[in-house]
């Protein structure tokens, strides 16, 4: 039996690339997409809510706002290829490698559109938007107001190969990377007191070149916003403290 409300789903607007989509956990409790019932993401306002029958957060959201369609998002771990403690090791190790795994490698995600007036059949583009966790990470950075050093900024016009943006130019680190807007150099962040953060190659580049403005990779949004820092001002403030 087809859903008689499917014609109205065409009126829904896809989320903007930088719009927050609460698809990881319920905004009212700690239930997550990893639980058996998953999370119901409203296709009208992109709120995430659980459908647990006792809490009924999804039902309450739908009844109060009158939004009909949700995207049920469930995630479960993929079967591990590692041997268990009872299994015998292979007779001969033919290949040894350390492979980086992302979320798609570790989890299997299923999505189903639900019509709360009857039953659903189709999907939506919600899963391609920034998640709430990623958006919150971007917003957590301190946005530095324009300074005198940006007024005379002459950024590089040379295209930067994508491969250079994935790793520090002086070490193997692939996280906490900073892009110099003057020459396109990519360096890792400063080492923190607990040993985390990086090897300080971005700051080392500034000390040797005096190139002032850099951007943290991973904070650039389609609207043109980014976590930009004037290193000269940042270092001056740190010295003053």
């Amino acid at each position: 039996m087809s859903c008689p409300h499917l014609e109205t789903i065409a009126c829904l607007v896809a989320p903007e690339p930088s719009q927050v989509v609460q698809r990881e956990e319920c905004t009212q409790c700690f239930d997550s997409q990893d639980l058996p019932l998953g999370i119901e993401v409203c296709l009208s306002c992109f709120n995430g809510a659980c459908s647990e029958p006792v809490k009924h957060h999804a039902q309450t959201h739908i009844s109060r706002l009158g939004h009909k369609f949700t995207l049920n998002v469930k995630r479960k771990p993929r079967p591990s290829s590692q041997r268990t403690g009872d299994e015998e090791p292979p007779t001969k190790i033919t290949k040894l490698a350390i492979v980086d795994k992302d979320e798609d490698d570790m989890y299997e995600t299923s999505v189903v559109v639900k019509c709360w007036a009857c039953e659903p059949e189709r999907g939506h583009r919600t899963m391609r938007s920034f998640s709430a966790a990623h958006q919150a990470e971007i917003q957590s950075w301190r946005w530095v107001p324009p300074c005198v050093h940006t007024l005379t900024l002459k950024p590089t016009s040379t295209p930067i190969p994508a491969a250079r943006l994935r790793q520090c130019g002086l070490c193997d680190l692939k996280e906490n990377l900073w892009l110099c807007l003057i020459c396109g150099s990519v360096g890792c962040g400063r080492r923190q007191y607990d040993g985390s953060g990086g090897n300080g190659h971005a700051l080392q580049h500034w000390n040797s070149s005096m190139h002032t403005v850099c951007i943290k990779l991973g904070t650039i949004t389609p609207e043109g916003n980014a976590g930009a820092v004037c290193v000269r001002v940042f270092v001056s403030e740190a010295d003053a403290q």
Side-chain angles (χ1 to χ4, degrees), residues 2 17 27 29 36 45 50 62 64 77 86 141 151 155 166 177 207 220 228:
S2 61
T27 56
C29 65
C45 65
C50 66
I62 296 299
R64 286 182 177 178
D86 297 332
W141 286 91
L151 300 179
R166 302 191 186 112
L177 301 179
N207 287 327
I220 304 175

Side-chain angles (χ1 to χ4, degrees), residues 33-175:
Q33 59 184 340
D34 298 325
L35 295 179
L37 294 178
I39 291 296
E40 302 292 340
V41 181
C42 178
L43 296 185
S44 297
C45 65
F46 311 112
N47 175 74
C50 66
S51 56
E52 205 277 335
V54 176
K55 301 175 184 178
H56 55 74
H57 291 146
Q59 293 89 332
T60 301
H61 176 83
I62 296 299
S63 61
R64 286 182 177 178
L65 299 180
H67 298 163
K68 294 180 180 179
F69 296 100
T70 62
L71 184 70
N72 180 263
V73 182
K74 296 179 183 178
R75 188 179 73 170
K76 63 179 181 180
R78 294 185 182 275
S80 176
S81 59
Q82 298 180 353
R83 64 185 179 88
T84 62
D86 297 332
E87 296 179 359
E88 292 293 331
T91 57
K92 181 180 180 180
I93 298 178
T94 59
K95 186 176 182 181
L96 181 63
I98 299 176
V99 181
D100 290 333
K101 291 186 177 181
D102 56 20
E103 183 175 324
D104 292 335
D105 295 327
M106 296 184 294
Y107 296 96
E108 179 180 349
T109 302
S110 61
V111 293
V112 177
V113 172
K114 180 183 294 185
C115 174
W116 287 78
C118 53
E119 288 294 330
E121 291 293 336
R122 302 197 174 193
H124 200 263
R125 290 185 289 170
T126 300
M127 293 300 294
R128 291 204 294 265
S129 300
F130 281 0
S131 67
H134 185 69
Q135 186 71 7
E137 180 181 356
I138 294 177
Q139 294 298 330
S140 66
W141 286 91
R142 179 168 60 100
W143 302 96
V144 179
C147 69
V148 64
H149 306 108
T150 63
L151 300 179
T152 57
L153 178 64
K154 295 181 180 180
T156 178
S157 59
T158 304
I160 303 174
R164 282 181 50 190
L165 301 177
R166 302 191 186 112
Q167 180 176 316
C168 174
L170 296 176
C171 67
D172 296 332
L173 291 182
K174 298 180 180 179
E175 297 180 352

Side-chain angles (χ1 to χ4, degrees), residues 158-205:
T158 304
I160 303 174
R164 282 181 50 190
L165 301 177
R166 302 191 186 112
Q167 180 176 316
C168 174
L170 296 176
C171 67
D172 296 332
L173 291 182
K174 298 180 180 179
E175 297 180 352
N176 191 21
L177 301 179
W178 294 83
L179 172 66
C180 175
L181 292 185
I182 307 299
C183 66
S185 172
V186 176
C188 56
R190 299 190 300 174
R191 183 176 298 275
Q192 305 300 319
Y193 292 108
D194 60 357
S196 64
N199 296 319
H201 290 141
L203 186 60
Q204 177 180 326
H205 171 74

Side-chain angles (χ1 to χ4, degrees), residues 203-226:
L203 186 60
Q204 177 180 326
H205 171 74
W206 174 76
N207 287 327
S208 61
S209 65
M210 297 306 292
H211 292 168
T212 307
V213 184
C214 60
I215 283 182
K216 180 174 173 59
L217 294 180
T219 66
I220 304 175
T221 67
E223 289 77 17
N225 299 320

